[in-house]
Amino acid sequence: MRLLHSADWHLGRVLHGAPLIEDQAHALDQLTAIAADTRPDAVIIAGDVYDRAVPPPEAVELLDDTLARLVLGHKLLVIVIAGNHDSPRRLGFGARLLAHGGLHVFGPCQARPAPLILSDAHGPVAIHALAHAEPAVVRAVLADEAPRDHDQAFAARLADLAPAPAGARRVLAAHAFVAGGLESLSERPLSVGGSGAVAVERFRGFDYVALGHLHRPQQVSGVNARYAGSLLKYSFSEVDQPKSLSLVELDAAGLAGVGTIAIEPLRDARIIGGRLEELLADPPATGRQDYLRVELQNIEPVIDAIGRLRAVYPNVLQVTRPHLATAPAQGQIDPRRLDDAQIFAAFYRQTTGQEATPAMLEAFAAEARQLRRQEREAH
């Protein structure tokens, strides 16, 4: 049996003010083509389909078009679960009707959920689906006051799963933060003020676990569990993460292997650096349309850096001055106790991370004397 595993589409996402819907449509065109070519027995989308609970209309339209092409156009079975960014009830609307057409959507947490049973030449495969749910929701649905954190709630839900057929291979689709996973800056924490992590041990006993939530594609150590990763790079902390889909193969014994298929972005997200004049005078032949964070190495003040850069690199989203972040820490200074030269020296140190030279201090002092002379003459 073959499964195509994807997650964390975040449709409707905005990166530093830039809407990504066109980039997401480009990536989903590739996903649809890959699914049509590989012909998986099921496509699993492991949560965070949307970027927020009430998505913009263009995000809803893109999801509708993508699912229609997969299910109606290519006659593929698709399994979708809600993530922590999604509204379970909105995403799950019409789920019972859609299931008859091959689209299985798992939104709100339910008690005793039955697995979806598929079959191949080796027998049945039971696919269990656990959308994201807060511990308080789990307590209410299961009428169990015991689960107090995400790990306990996840364990209670696993214990509540309806059984699979005897001898069936078992697959789990889930949206969770597994302890030890590598995070990115673009993920919303599952818990504030407490532990949102689920123990690795919870995933033993499954032939494959299709995970969503963490944006870096990665294998979970010690179990047959994997994060497919996000559809695109959703922060500059992800510039070193190639994005991909996971193609899962099951044989008679269980998991036979997991391969990855790259997703090529319409515009990449990258970090470049250098002096402003160099970046403007010698731009690269390719990649100028990418989403960029520019780390300027100019020590001196630069006027309208982002505007000048965008004339050559249209999608500059952020400009930073790394040398300021490494400036030596200074104690609290009371300017009332400093003369003009000391205030200038402190200001220069804070804005450049370097000490003013004697020549700079002498030039400042000369200008200050000239200004005072003009003020006296004006009076």
Side-chain angles (χ1 to χ4, degrees), residues 153-228:
F154 203 87
R157 297 179 74 192
L158 289 174
D160 186 58
L161 290 174
R169 291 153 291 167
R170 300 176 71 213
V171 172
L172 175 67
H175 194 88
F177 171 41
V178 182
L182 299 176
E183 301 176 78
S184 301
L185 294 179
S186 57
E187 298 142 3
R188 180 187 300 165
L190 294 180
S191 178
V192 177
S195 175
V198 176
V200 172
E201 292 76 15
R202 305 299 183 198
F203 302 98
R204 295 203 171 109
F206 291 98
D207 293 283
Y208 182 72
V209 181
L211 289 168
H213 180 59
L214 296 185
H215 290 183
R216 179 188 294 272
Q218 56 192 286
Q219 179 71 31
V220 177
S221 178
V223 291
N224 293 332
R226 180 174 177 80
Y227 285 99

Side-chain angles (χ1 to χ4, degrees), residues 82 88-93 105-110 131-133 137 141 157:
R89 295 190 182 278
R90 289 188 176 94
L91 189 65
F93 171 79
V105 182
F106 298 87
C109 178
Q110 296 180 343
H132 171 75
V137 173
V141 170
R157 297 179 74 192

